Amino acid sequence: MFLIKLGKYLLISFFLISCTSNEKKIKSIVYTDYGSQSYFRKDFDKYKEIVDSYKLNTASFLYTCYLKNKKAWDIDCAGNDSPKLENIQKQLQYFKNKKIQTSLRFYLDLKTQKWRARLSPHKMKLFFKNYEEELVKFAKFAQSEKTDMLIIGCELEDITKPEFTRFWKKMISSVRKVYKGKISYSANGNKSLTNDREYEWVSFWHDLDFVSITYYPPVSKILKTKSEFKAHHLKNLSRLWRFKRKVSKDLVLAEVGFPLAKSGYQKPYEWLWPNTKNDRGEQVENLEAFLNAYRQFDFNGIYLWRFYPRELQEYPAGYDLLDEQIKTLIKTKL
C-alpha cells in the first residue's frame, strides 16, 4: 500500500511542467526578532553571512505588532515589544545595494502568547480600522525602502472567514495605494478546528499577487526511512499543488519549519520542546526529503523558518538551521 501511494505522488509530479526558472523562485530564510532592541549590528552580520553562504536570493524580515488578548481590538506597534523600523531599514538598504530581493512581513501576535489564529476582537470594525491604519503605515515604509514583497498577515483563521472579506479587500486596496511591490497574505496550511484549512476558505486570493501558505504538516506515525519522509511531504505538497492550479495563482511556502527536537516532524508547528532530546540527523533527513519532494513541483519559492539570533539559548530544540549539513542541503537543493 505504501509503495502504491508513493508511486501515485511520483506520477503526479512526473507530469508537472516547470514554468518558473529556478533563479526566480524565492529562496529565503526568515530573519525573526522581537522587541525594540532587535535587529542590531552583531546579529545582522550573522544574517548577512547566512544569506551569502547559503546562496539565498531573498532577505526576509519579520515585524510584529501586538494585542493584549484575543478579544482586544487596539493594535500596538509603538511599544517596546515591537522592532524599531530604523533598525530594519539599515538592513534593507544593505541587501538592496547587493541587488538581493527584500521581503517584509507584518504579523499580529497576542501578549498572552496564545496563538494568533484565535484572535476574535469584540469590536471588529474598530479592529480592522486600526489594522488598516497600522498596515498602511508599514506599507509606506516598505515602499520607501523599495521592498519587493510584503506579507500583510499570517494565520488569522478566525478573522479571514468569508464574512470578513469586505474588510480585507478594503485593507488590500488601501495598501496598494501606497505600496507598489507584490502583496500576499500567509494562510495556515494545516487543518483548523472545523477540520478544513484556512487557505481553502480565504476568499480574497485574487486581490493579492500570490498565495502564501505556512507549511507545518503534522504526522501521527513514526517515520524511519527517507522514502517515508519523502512520501509524507509529497502527499502534503500535492494537496497544495492542486490548490495552486485551482486558483491559478503563484504559490509560495511562507514558512517551512523543521524543529531540531527528536520526532519534531510529528508537530513541526511547535516551537516549545521542554524536556526533549535533539536529533540533528533526523532534522537533516526530514529537510532533505522535503527538498527532494519540493523540487518535483513548480511552486514559486520557500521561506525557511528561521534565523532567530537567540534560538539555541531560548529554544534549544527549535528551528535552528546553523549546521553545515543543513547549509549544504539548502545550497544544493533549494
Side-chain angles (χ1 to χ4, degrees), residues 187-189 197-202 205 211 213 239-240 243:
N188 185 15
R197 295 173 171 84
E198 184 190 13
Y199 66 84
E200 295 173 325
W201 72 62
V202 167
W205 285 129
V211 173
I213 296 176
R239 181 184 295 112
L240 297 183
F243 182 76

Side-chain angles (χ1 to χ4, degrees), residues 196-210:
D196 46 2
R197 295 173 171 84
E198 184 190 13
Y199 66 84
E200 295 173 325
W201 72 62
V202 167
S203 54
F204 48 87
W205 285 129
H206 289 286
D207 294 82
L208 299 167
D209 295 296
F210 57 96

